[in-house]
Amino acid sequence: MDILISPIADLTSHLIILFGFIIFFSVLSLTIYILSKNHKKEWLRKIVGSKKSLTKLSEDEVKSYFGKIFIVMFAIGLLSFFLGIGIGNGIKVSEKISNNNLNYDYKITFNTNETKEVYLIGSNSANYFYVEKGNKNVKISPVGAIKTIELTNNKN
């Protein structure tokens, strides 16, 4: 389930990311639309890099041709988008850890009744990823080993 929800959560986590994705999709769709409407022009063949003449193709073949280009461009753009978000967030958290600029806003109580003040990096359905106060190592705890998580510094 995390695999299906995580990309949606990433897109909606910040308004600028959502708008960037919408603009990317809109520009790509508009570009493919313009290319398909002007498929008989010679300058288009040069831009697309097609060795075959697009003037001899039927309307369905043109839609199929540019549909394949759209899918490849969208897949590459989507992959780049999510890789960029992941790498950027990873670098940001890494710098926070190395510079000790973490806000320890959570307390985790384990099943052994041991409580630790932590900076929560993230979680999924199986694990919590965190850094303990006074330690620069990232720790991973399974969900079953944690009794409670308390937000100690609620900014709202």
Side-chain angles (χ1 to χ4, degrees):
M1 190 70 161
D2 285 339
I3 294 171
L4 298 175
I5 295 174
S6 182
I8 296 169
D10 285 342
L11 284 176
T12 58
S13 64
H14 298 291
L15 204 53
I16 194 159
I17 293 173
L18 182 62
F19 283 135
F21 181 75
I22 290 170
I23 289 170
F24 163 71
F25 184 78
S26 301
V27 167
L28 184 61
S29 299
L30 184 63
T31 303
I32 294 300
Y33 175 76
I34 290 170
L35 291 176
S36 66
K37 290 298 176 188
N38 295 309
H39 72 278
K40 295 188 180 197
K41 301 197 172 157
E42 187 63 27
W43 59 267
L44 177 69
R45 188 176 65 79
K46 291 178 182 176
I47 289 173
V48 174
S50 176
K51 294 188 172 91
K52 61 182 177 179
S53 176
L54 299 175
T55 58
K56 298 176 184 174
L57 298 177
S58 70
E59 193 67 33
D60 288 336
E61 290 172 328
V62 169
K63 285 182 182 178
S64 174
Y65 180 76
F66 285 113
K68 290 175 188 175
I69 291 174
F70 174 81
I71 290 171
V72 169
M73 290 173 66
F74 185 73
I76 290 170
L78 202 60
L79 178 68
S80 301
F81 195 75
F82 285 113
L83 279 176
I85 289 173
I87 291 171
N89 286 339
I91 290 171
K92 189 169 82 173
V93 169
S94 175
E95 286 175 355
K96 280 184 174 181
I97 291 171
S98 64
N99 295 334
N100 205 16
N101 293 337
L102 302 173
N103 296 326
Y104 299 96
D105 295 338
Y106 290 90
K107 283 187 180 179
I108 293 181
T109 304
F110 295 93
N111 289 337
T112 60
N113 289 328
E114 178 185 10
T115 301
K116 295 182 180 180
E117 207 170 335
V118 300
Y119 171 76
L120 190 63
I121 296 171
S123 65
N124 58 26
S125 60
N127 298 304
Y128 285 99
F129 306 90
Y130 61 91
V131 177
E132 287 181 31
K133 190 171 189 173
N135 193 345
K136 289 189 175 186
N137 296 328
V138 176
K139 295 193 176 185
I140 304 170
S141 290
V143 171
I146 296 174
K147 192 180 212 179
T148 62
I149 297 178
E150 178 184 350
L151 178 61
T152 58
N153 188 8
N154 192 355
K155 296 172 185 162
N156 292 334

